[in-house]
Amino acid sequence: MVTIVDVARAAGVAPSTVSYVLSGKRSISPETTRLVEASIRELGYHPNAGARALASSKTSVLALVLPMRTDQNVAVVMEFVAAVAKTAREHDYDVLLLTKDEGPTALRRVVSSALADALIVMDVEAKDPRVPVLRSLQRPSVLIGAPDAASGITCVDLDFAAAGQECVAHLAELGHRSIALIGPAPAVYRRGTGFARRFLRGFRAAAGKHGVRAVNRPCSHSYDAAVRCVDELLAADPELTGLVIHNEAVLPAVLGDLRHRGIRVPEDMSVIALCPDSMAVQQPVSLTTIAIPAEEVGELAVEMVLRQLAGPTVPETRLLAPRLVRRESTAAI
Amino acid sequence: MVTIVDVARAAGVAPSTVSYVLSGKRSISPETTRLVEASIRELGYHPNAGARALASSKTSVLALVLPMRTDQNVAVVMEFVAAVAKTAREHDYDVLLLTKDEGPTALRRVVSSALADALIVMDVEAKDPRVPVLRSLQRPSVLIGAPDAASGITCVDLDFAAAGQECVAHLAELGHRSIALIGPAPAVYRRGTGFARRFLRGFRAAAGKHGVRAVNRPCSHSYDAAVRCVDELLAADPELTGLVIHNEAVLPAVLGDLRHRGIRVPEDMSVIALCPDSMAVQQPVSLTTIAIPAEEVGELAVEMVLRQLAGPTVPETRLLAPRLVRRESTAAI
DNA sequence: TTGAAAGCGATACCAC
DNA sequence: GTGGTATCGCTTTCAA
């Protein structure tokens, strides 16, 4: 193993000088810099992460807590992870993977054993037990999502309320007077995952404002549930002409079922979905969507957490404005 | 921060004794053990990971290299990750996340900076540039998947060749005489991802053996591509009665299209898919599948890599036998 | 602009 | 069965 002493000897300088060349924390003559950098390259030196962490109390590692349900949202979660990993590396950080089901203890463990400098936590619920722990930990952290009590912590997420509003506004503008929301599984509401309720709130508010008849129907992930859901909605209101789908899992099922019933999209039924773009274009009709800005959120999460690492910041909840992408599944009535 | 010295003082013993209580590397009197453990609990002591790594040259971290494409396979990748993370934690290891597009350099970096003790590498291609690097690294590693030249390295994967054979055998037994394989996107074959070719090989061999007419058609991930694919297959052979789908992305599209054409599954067309179970039961007809044993593979990968860490082992490629789960999408002709 | 040396917090060897 | 302490590789303060 190549150590800083080896490099120093090869370059004919002191170990501390090598360290300073690497960190840039003091000015070094160009000549010395050249010498040291050459030795580093020649010997293939990589600083030992443990030693560095021990001496500097900084690990250059971010812990990322992931939900590991495989039933839902997988594509979106993956996009977050990709964005977080990429952005972290751009700032010379590595990513340590934790899973949500390790619970709040895992956060404590990672921090007290100095495995990571900061935490990014996904899939935050309304009354998330990890939030108080995070608060007590006194370590930089960013939540992706937002709990009920977000005071004192930093969050970033899509503005789901605005997203709900935009969906309704778009349909209302196209002349639709009766619309329905096919929501996430009942379990999601029960778990109190914030985004579901925030979306619903925006949806309802906008419906009131635009004078549109609007109903809401959670839907679990089986094909049958999706079909039953469409059934009920059509039975309850034959005039229904607009569907907002906030549930990627049943997207193919709902669209398939509409087609099977001879209900054309968008001629007979306008459909707008909240889902990743990649999914939107993989359907029989390419879907008008509110994109989930996973990449942006992931990137932002890393940047916000690094800013905290760099110095004091004020906790804030950052909600990203929804971006409606109009494709072929919505039309004027 | 609580250190081992604090614990030692509180328990009235030497720091080394605390260390030995923790590691179990020498026998300690019950009384001392009790005392030390109590102090640890009271003070909330967690050993500093960096210090430990520095002193012992072991990090208790496994590096996991993930593909970050979001287009395909996401559910399966997620299941791997979940299994790896869970199994690693059960053995008191943490997981460091790397992405495939960081390339072979990332492997070198992680090893030389002593960020991880071993590597688990996913999405291995036929001529994967990471393989020679891995070989030169002299660190325990397991590939999920298998390159062409697997000598000297440890791999674990589903036995895709056997899976291809099983699919054909199952359909042949049911009396089908003409079947087709809807395969992964052309890009996947081009990339030389081993599993695609191995599956195809098994498929062809079994078709020959059972005297079944069999064709192969790669299919990219758009809805239109899927429809076109079905179109062509039906045009080429009106007698086609069996479909093997090795492409989760187009599963809903193909099934939707069949239904739209009035082709019933399984009455008119038997369908067997290679996909996660969760996906199989989310279709209009629950699908007969070869399950991808992601959980088993992930678990095994961790165990194999830990065994290497424990002592010398002989490199081997472990192929898991496919398990066909019969559901409602296949029937006798 | 550079060097010397004191830690950082654990492990594991050497003593007893 | 237990204690003392050199050691791991780096950062950073103090000195020059």
Side-chain angles (χ1 to χ4, degrees), chain A residues 14 17 26-29 32 54:
Chain A
T17 301
R26 98 185 347 174
S27 57
I28 304 275
S29 75
T32 304
L54 183 56

PDB file of all heavy atoms in Angstrom, chain A residues 14 17 26-29 32 54, chain C residues 1-5 7-9:
ATOM      1  N   ALA A  14       8.198  16.935   2.848  1.00  0.00           N
ATOM      2  CA  ALA A  14       7.613  16.375   4.069  1.00  0.00           C
ATOM      3  C   ALA A  14       6.188  15.887   3.807  1.00  0.00           C
ATOM      4  O   ALA A  14       5.516  16.396   2.917  1.00  0.00           O
ATOM      5  CB  ALA A  14       7.583  17.434   5.159  1.00  0.00           C
ATOM      6  N   THR A  17       3.558  18.461   3.559  1.00  0.00           N
ATOM      7  CA  THR A  17       3.506  19.191   2.288  1.00  0.00           C
ATOM      8  C   THR A  17       2.621  18.463   1.282  1.00  0.00           C
ATOM      9  O   THR A  17       1.806  19.071   0.588  1.00  0.00           O
ATOM     10  CB  THR A  17       4.925  19.357   1.718  1.00  0.00           C
ATOM     11  OG1 THR A  17       5.710  20.076   2.667  1.00  0.00           O
ATOM     12  CG2 THR A  17       4.903  20.111   0.416  1.00  0.00           C
ATOM     13  N   ARG A  26      -2.885  25.449   1.972  1.00  0.00           N
ATOM     14  CA  ARG A  26      -1.847  26.464   2.132  1.00  0.00           C
ATOM     15  C   ARG A  26      -1.146  26.610   0.788  1.00  0.00           C
ATOM     16  O   ARG A  26      -1.197  25.715  -0.054  1.00  0.00           O
ATOM     17  CB  ARG A  26      -0.914  26.094   3.302  1.00  0.00           C
ATOM     18  CG  ARG A  26       0.328  25.428   2.879  1.00  0.00           C
ATOM     19  CD  ARG A  26       1.350  24.878   3.834  1.00  0.00           C
ATOM     20  NE  ARG A  26       1.551  25.019   5.202  1.00  0.00           N
ATOM     21  CZ  ARG A  26       2.496  24.311   5.867  1.00  0.00           C
ATOM     22  NH1 ARG A  26       3.244  23.436   5.235  1.00  0.00           N
ATOM     23  NH2 ARG A  26       2.678  24.468   7.120  1.00  0.00           N
ATOM     24  N   SER A  27      -0.516  27.706   0.562  1.00  0.00           N
ATOM     25  CA  SER A  27       0.062  27.915  -0.765  1.00  0.00           C
ATOM     26  C   SER A  27       1.390  27.182  -0.866  1.00  0.00           C
ATOM     27  O   SER A  27       2.190  27.169   0.065  1.00  0.00           O
ATOM     28  CB  SER A  27       0.235  29.401  -1.042  1.00  0.00           C
ATOM     29  OG  SER A  27       1.032  29.978  -0.026  1.00  0.00           O
ATOM     30  N   ILE A  28       1.563  26.570  -1.991  1.00  0.00           N
ATOM     31  CA  ILE A  28       2.729  25.737  -2.245  1.00  0.00           C
ATOM     32  C   ILE A  28       3.380  26.240  -3.526  1.00  0.00           C
ATOM     33  O   ILE A  28       2.679  26.629  -4.458  1.00  0.00           O
ATOM     34  CB  ILE A  28       2.292  24.267  -2.453  1.00  0.00           C
ATOM     35  CG1 ILE A  28       1.490  23.767  -1.246  1.00  0.00           C
ATOM     36  CG2 ILE A  28       3.464  23.368  -2.741  1.00  0.00           C
ATOM     37  CD1 ILE A  28       2.310  23.253  -0.118  1.00  0.00           C
ATOM     38  N   SER A  29       4.683  26.185  -3.579  1.00  0.00           N
ATOM     39  CA  SER A  29       5.356  26.655  -4.795  1.00  0.00           C
ATOM     40  C   SER A  29       4.992  25.745  -5.963  1.00  0.00           C
ATOM     41  O   SER A  29       4.811  24.539  -5.776  1.00  0.00           O
ATOM     42  CB  SER A  29       6.870  26.639  -4.583  1.00  0.00           C
ATOM     43  OG  SER A  29       7.344  25.301  -4.634  1.00  0.00           O
ATOM     44  N   THR A  32       7.172  22.619  -6.217  1.00  0.00           N
ATOM     45  CA  THR A  32       6.833  21.554  -5.264  1.00  0.00           C
ATOM     46  C   THR A  32       5.548  20.844  -5.679  1.00  0.00           C
ATOM     47  O   THR A  32       5.451  19.617  -5.652  1.00  0.00           O
ATOM     48  CB  THR A  32       6.660  22.148  -3.859  1.00  0.00           C
ATOM     49  OG1 THR A  32       7.848  22.843  -3.496  1.00  0.00           O
ATOM     50  CG2 THR A  32       6.396  21.049  -2.848  1.00  0.00           C
ATOM     51  N   LEU A  54     -10.285   9.783  10.358  1.00  0.00           N
ATOM     52  CA  LEU A  54      -9.870   9.842  11.758  1.00  0.00           C
ATOM     53  C   LEU A  54      -9.198  11.175  12.087  1.00  0.00           C
ATOM     54  O   LEU A  54      -9.495  11.816  13.101  1.00  0.00           O
ATOM     55  CB  LEU A  54      -8.901   8.697  12.045  1.00  0.00           C
ATOM     56  CG  LEU A  54      -8.408   8.559  13.477  1.00  0.00           C
ATOM     57  CD1 LEU A  54      -9.585   8.444  14.438  1.00  0.00           C
ATOM     58  CD2 LEU A  54      -7.495   7.347  13.592  1.00  0.00           C
TER      59      LEU A  54
ATOM     60  P    DT C   1       4.043  31.074  -1.366  1.00  0.00           P
ATOM     61  OP1  DT C   1       3.943  31.162  -2.729  1.00  0.00           O
ATOM     62  OP2  DT C   1       3.008  30.819  -0.382  1.00  0.00           O
ATOM     63  O5'  DT C   1       5.305  30.240  -0.861  1.00  0.00           O
ATOM     64  C5'  DT C   1       6.430  29.882  -1.582  1.00  0.00           C
ATOM     65  C4'  DT C   1       7.135  28.936  -0.689  1.00  0.00           C
ATOM     66  O4'  DT C   1       7.103  29.457   0.660  1.00  0.00           O
ATOM     67  C3'  DT C   1       6.473  27.555  -0.618  1.00  0.00           C
ATOM     68  O3'  DT C   1       7.416  26.605  -1.093  1.00  0.00           O
ATOM     69  C2'  DT C   1       6.151  27.332   0.861  1.00  0.00           C
ATOM     70  C1'  DT C   1       7.025  28.372   1.567  1.00  0.00           C
ATOM     71  N1   DT C   1       6.433  28.892   2.849  1.00  0.00           N
ATOM     72  C2   DT C   1       7.100  28.623   4.038  1.00  0.00           C
ATOM     73  O2   DT C   1       8.143  27.994   4.111  1.00  0.00           O
ATOM     74  N3   DT C   1       6.486  29.126   5.159  1.00  0.00           N
ATOM     75  C4   DT C   1       5.320  29.860   5.212  1.00  0.00           C
ATOM     76  O4   DT C   1       4.867  30.252   6.283  1.00  0.00           O
ATOM     77  C5   DT C   1       4.681  30.101   3.947  1.00  0.00           C
ATOM     78  C7   DT C   1       3.400  30.877   3.858  1.00  0.00           C
ATOM     79  C6   DT C   1       5.250  29.613   2.813  1.00  0.00           C
ATOM     80  P    DT C   2       7.243  25.106  -1.053  1.00  0.00           P
ATOM     81  OP1  DT C   2       8.220  24.511  -1.972  1.00  0.00           O
ATOM     82  OP2  DT C   2       5.815  24.850  -1.229  1.00  0.00           O
ATOM     83  O5'  DT C   2       7.640  24.680   0.411  1.00  0.00           O
ATOM     84  C5'  DT C   2       8.990  24.381   0.709  1.00  0.00           C
ATOM     85  C4'  DT C   2       9.109  24.035   2.159  1.00  0.00           C
ATOM     86  O4'  DT C   2       8.322  24.913   2.967  1.00  0.00           O
ATOM     87  C3'  DT C   2       8.632  22.632   2.541  1.00  0.00           C
ATOM     88  O3'  DT C   2       9.793  21.829   2.663  1.00  0.00           O
ATOM     89  C2'  DT C   2       7.889  22.807   3.856  1.00  0.00           C
ATOM     90  C1'  DT C   2       8.140  24.272   4.205  1.00  0.00           C
ATOM     91  N1   DT C   2       7.045  24.962   4.919  1.00  0.00           N
ATOM     92  C2   DT C   2       7.169  25.173   6.272  1.00  0.00           C
ATOM     93  O2   DT C   2       8.137  24.813   6.928  1.00  0.00           O
ATOM     94  N3   DT C   2       6.110  25.824   6.851  1.00  0.00           N
ATOM     95  C4   DT C   2       4.971  26.277   6.214  1.00  0.00           C
ATOM     96  O4   DT C   2       4.082  26.858   6.837  1.00  0.00           O
ATOM     97  C5   DT C   2       4.907  26.039   4.804  1.00  0.00           C
ATOM     98  C7   DT C   2       3.725  26.490   4.007  1.00  0.00           C
ATOM     99  C6   DT C   2       5.940  25.386   4.214  1.00  0.00           C
ATOM    100  P    DG C   3       9.652  20.267   2.945  1.00  0.00           P
ATOM    101  OP1  DG C   3      10.802  19.613   2.289  1.00  0.00           O
ATOM    102  OP2  DG C   3       8.279  19.868   2.627  1.00  0.00           O
ATOM    103  O5'  DG C   3       9.868  20.167   4.519  1.00  0.00           O
ATOM    104  C5'  DG C   3      10.813  21.025   5.119  1.00  0.00           C
ATOM    105  C4'  DG C   3      10.908  20.760   6.602  1.00  0.00           C
ATOM    106  O4'  DG C   3       9.933  21.584   7.294  1.00  0.00           O
ATOM    107  C3'  DG C   3      10.616  19.324   7.031  1.00  0.00           C
ATOM    108  O3'  DG C   3      11.502  19.012   8.102  1.00  0.00           O
ATOM    109  C2'  DG C   3       9.170  19.379   7.499  1.00  0.00           C
ATOM    110  C1'  DG C   3       9.074  20.788   8.080  1.00  0.00           C
ATOM    111  N9   DG C   3       7.755  21.395   7.993  1.00  0.00           N
ATOM    112  C8   DG C   3       6.983  21.528   6.869  1.00  0.00           C
ATOM    113  N7   DG C   3       5.846  22.143   7.087  1.00  0.00           N
ATOM    114  C5   DG C   3       5.868  22.423   8.453  1.00  0.00           C
ATOM    115  C6   DG C   3       4.910  23.073   9.266  1.00  0.00           C
ATOM    116  O6   DG C   3       3.821  23.547   8.937  1.00  0.00           O
ATOM    117  N1   DG C   3       5.334  23.143  10.589  1.00  0.00           N
ATOM    118  C2   DG C   3       6.516  22.662  11.059  1.00  0.00           C
ATOM    119  N2   DG C   3       6.743  22.820  12.360  1.00  0.00           N
ATOM    120  N3   DG C   3       7.427  22.060  10.308  1.00  0.00           N
ATOM    121  C4   DG C   3       7.036  21.971   9.016  1.00  0.00           C
ATOM    122  P    DA C   4      11.663  17.561   8.666  1.00  0.00           P
ATOM    123  OP1  DA C   4      13.092  17.209   8.633  1.00  0.00           O
ATOM    124  OP2  DA C   4      10.675  16.720   7.956  1.00  0.00           O
ATOM    125  O5'  DA C   4      11.188  17.687  10.188  1.00  0.00           O
ATOM    126  C5'  DA C   4      11.260  18.938  10.858  1.00  0.00           C
ATOM    127  C4'  DA C   4      10.696  18.794  12.276  1.00  0.00           C
ATOM    128  O4'  DA C   4       9.357  19.360  12.300  1.00  0.00           O
ATOM    129  C3'  DA C   4      10.554  17.372  12.798  1.00  0.00           C
ATOM    130  O3'  DA C   4      10.725  17.430  14.204  1.00  0.00           O
ATOM    131  C2'  DA C   4       9.138  16.995  12.366  1.00  0.00           C
ATOM    132  C1'  DA C   4       8.397  18.342  12.545  1.00  0.00           C
ATOM    133  N9   DA C   4       7.306  18.569  11.596  1.00  0.00           N
ATOM    134  C8   DA C   4       7.245  18.195  10.280  1.00  0.00           C
ATOM    135  N7   DA C   4       6.141  18.561   9.669  1.00  0.00           N
ATOM    136  C5   DA C   4       5.438  19.232  10.659  1.00  0.00           C
ATOM    137  C6   DA C   4       4.185  19.863  10.654  1.00  0.00           C
ATOM    138  N6   DA C   4       3.399  19.945   9.574  1.00  0.00           N
ATOM    139  N1   DA C   4       3.751  20.430  11.807  1.00  0.00           N
ATOM    140  C2   DA C   4       4.551  20.355  12.885  1.00  0.00           C
ATOM    141  N3   DA C   4       5.750  19.792  13.013  1.00  0.00           N
ATOM    142  C4   DA C   4       6.137  19.237  11.845  1.00  0.00           C
ATOM    143  P    DA C   5      10.594  16.142  15.121  1.00  0.00           P
ATOM    144  OP1  DA C   5      11.441  16.390  16.309  1.00  0.00           O
ATOM    145  OP2  DA C   5      10.761  14.920  14.311  1.00  0.00           O
ATOM    146  O5'  DA C   5       9.058  16.245  15.577  1.00  0.00           O
ATOM    147  C5'  DA C   5       8.626  17.427  16.245  1.00  0.00           C
ATOM    148  C4'  DA C   5       7.190  17.239  16.709  1.00  0.00           C
ATOM    149  O4'  DA C   5       6.289  17.423  15.584  1.00  0.00           O
ATOM    150  C3'  DA C   5       6.866  15.845  17.236  1.00  0.00           C
ATOM    151  O3'  DA C   5       5.779  16.001  18.128  1.00  0.00           O
ATOM    152  C2'  DA C   5       6.383  15.111  15.991  1.00  0.00           C
ATOM    153  C1'  DA C   5       5.508  16.236  15.429  1.00  0.00           C
ATOM    154  N9   DA C   5       5.146  16.105  14.028  1.00  0.00           N
ATOM    155  C8   DA C   5       5.783  15.413  13.038  1.00  0.00           C
ATOM    156  N7   DA C   5       5.193  15.505  11.871  1.00  0.00           N
ATOM    157  C5   DA C   5       4.101  16.318  12.114  1.00  0.00           C
ATOM    158  C6   DA C   5       3.070  16.792  11.287  1.00  0.00           C
ATOM    159  N6   DA C   5       2.987  16.513   9.991  1.00  0.00           N
ATOM    160  N1   DA C   5       2.124  17.582  11.871  1.00  0.00           N
ATOM    161  C2   DA C   5       2.222  17.860  13.171  1.00  0.00           C
ATOM    162  N3   DA C   5       3.146  17.472  14.050  1.00  0.00           N
ATOM    163  C4   DA C   5       4.055  16.695  13.443  1.00  0.00           C
ATOM    164  P    DG C   7      -0.567  15.888  21.875  1.00  0.00           P
ATOM    165  OP1  DG C   7      -1.892  16.565  21.937  1.00  0.00           O
ATOM    166  OP2  DG C   7       0.244  15.664  23.094  1.00  0.00           O
ATOM    167  O5'  DG C   7      -0.665  14.470  21.111  1.00  0.00           O
ATOM    168  C5'  DG C   7      -1.895  13.781  21.150  1.00  0.00           C
ATOM    169  C4'  DG C   7      -2.884  14.426  20.190  1.00  0.00           C
ATOM    170  O4'  DG C   7      -2.220  14.603  18.902  1.00  0.00           O
ATOM    171  C3'  DG C   7      -4.068  13.506  19.961  1.00  0.00           C
ATOM    172  O3'  DG C   7      -5.252  14.256  19.977  1.00  0.00           O
ATOM    173  C2'  DG C   7      -3.837  12.878  18.593  1.00  0.00           C
ATOM    174  C1'  DG C   7      -2.886  13.844  17.908  1.00  0.00           C
ATOM    175  N9   DG C   7      -1.883  13.058  17.172  1.00  0.00           N
ATOM    176  C8   DG C   7      -0.769  12.433  17.670  1.00  0.00           C
ATOM    177  N7   DG C   7      -0.079  11.807  16.752  1.00  0.00           N
ATOM    178  C5   DG C   7      -0.783  12.031  15.578  1.00  0.00           C
ATOM    179  C6   DG C   7      -0.536  11.590  14.259  1.00  0.00           C
ATOM    180  O6   DG C   7       0.393  10.900  13.849  1.00  0.00           O
ATOM    181  N1   DG C   7      -1.519  12.042  13.365  1.00  0.00           N
ATOM    182  C2   DG C   7      -2.594  12.820  13.722  1.00  0.00           C
ATOM    183  N2   DG C   7      -3.423  13.142  12.746  1.00  0.00           N
ATOM    184  N3   DG C   7      -2.843  13.240  14.944  1.00  0.00           N
ATOM    185  C4   DG C   7      -1.902  12.805  15.818  1.00  0.00           C
ATOM    186  P    DC C   8      -6.524  13.659  20.595  1.00  0.00           P
ATOM    187  OP1  DC C   8      -7.321  14.775  21.163  1.00  0.00           O
ATOM    188  OP2  DC C   8      -6.068  12.539  21.434  1.00  0.00           O
ATOM    189  O5'  DC C   8      -7.311  13.025  19.376  1.00  0.00           O
ATOM    190  C5'  DC C   8      -7.953  13.838  18.388  1.00  0.00           C
ATOM    191  C4'  DC C   8      -8.374  12.934  17.259  1.00  0.00           C
ATOM    192  O4'  DC C   8      -7.207  12.612  16.484  1.00  0.00           O
ATOM    193  C3'  DC C   8      -8.928  11.598  17.749  1.00  0.00           C
ATOM    194  O3'  DC C   8     -10.345  11.683  17.782  1.00  0.00           O
ATOM    195  C2'  DC C   8      -8.451  10.584  16.707  1.00  0.00           C
ATOM    196  C1'  DC C   8      -7.389  11.345  15.880  1.00  0.00           C
ATOM    197  N1   DC C   8      -6.045  10.702  15.823  1.00  0.00           N
ATOM    198  C2   DC C   8      -5.405  10.516  14.597  1.00  0.00           C
ATOM    199  O2   DC C   8      -5.984  10.879  13.565  1.00  0.00           O
ATOM    200  N3   DC C   8      -4.184   9.939  14.567  1.00  0.00           N
ATOM    201  C4   DC C   8      -3.595   9.560  15.714  1.00  0.00           C
ATOM    202  N4   DC C   8      -2.389   9.006  15.633  1.00  0.00           N
ATOM    203  C5   DC C   8      -4.224   9.743  16.979  1.00  0.00           C
ATOM    204  C6   DC C   8      -5.436  10.305  16.989  1.00  0.00           C
ATOM    205  P    DG C   9     -11.102  11.190  19.118  1.00  0.00           P
ATOM    206  OP1  DG C   9     -12.465  11.731  19.026  1.00  0.00           O
ATOM    207  OP2  DG C   9     -10.265  11.432  20.307  1.00  0.00           O
ATOM    208  O5'  DG C   9     -11.158   9.613  18.910  1.00  0.00           O
ATOM    209  C5'  DG C   9     -11.864   9.095  17.806  1.00  0.00           C
ATOM    210  C4'  DG C   9     -11.554   7.633  17.669  1.00  0.00           C
ATOM    211  O4'  DG C   9     -10.160   7.455  17.370  1.00  0.00           O
ATOM    212  C3'  DG C   9     -11.805   6.818  18.941  1.00  0.00           C
ATOM    213  O3'  DG C   9     -12.465   5.639  18.549  1.00  0.00           O
ATOM    214  C2'  DG C   9     -10.414   6.534  19.472  1.00  0.00           C
ATOM    215  C1'  DG C   9      -9.652   6.414  18.171  1.00  0.00           C
ATOM    216  N9   DG C   9      -8.221   6.625  18.280  1.00  0.00           N
ATOM    217  C8   DG C   9      -7.559   7.406  19.194  1.00  0.00           C
ATOM    218  N7   DG C   9      -6.256   7.402  19.033  1.00  0.00           N
ATOM    219  C5   DG C   9      -6.052   6.564  17.937  1.00  0.00           C
ATOM    220  C6   DG C   9      -4.852   6.181  17.303  1.00  0.00           C
ATOM    221  O6   DG C   9      -3.703   6.513  17.579  1.00  0.00           O
ATOM    222  N1   DG C   9      -5.087   5.325  16.225  1.00  0.00           N
ATOM    223  C2   DG C   9      -6.326   4.901  15.830  1.00  0.00           C
ATOM    224  N2   DG C   9      -6.366   4.084  14.783  1.00  0.00           N
ATOM    225  N3   DG C   9      -7.464   5.253  16.417  1.00  0.00           N
ATOM    226  C4   DG C   9      -7.247   6.085  17.463  1.00  0.00           C
TER     227       DG C   9
END
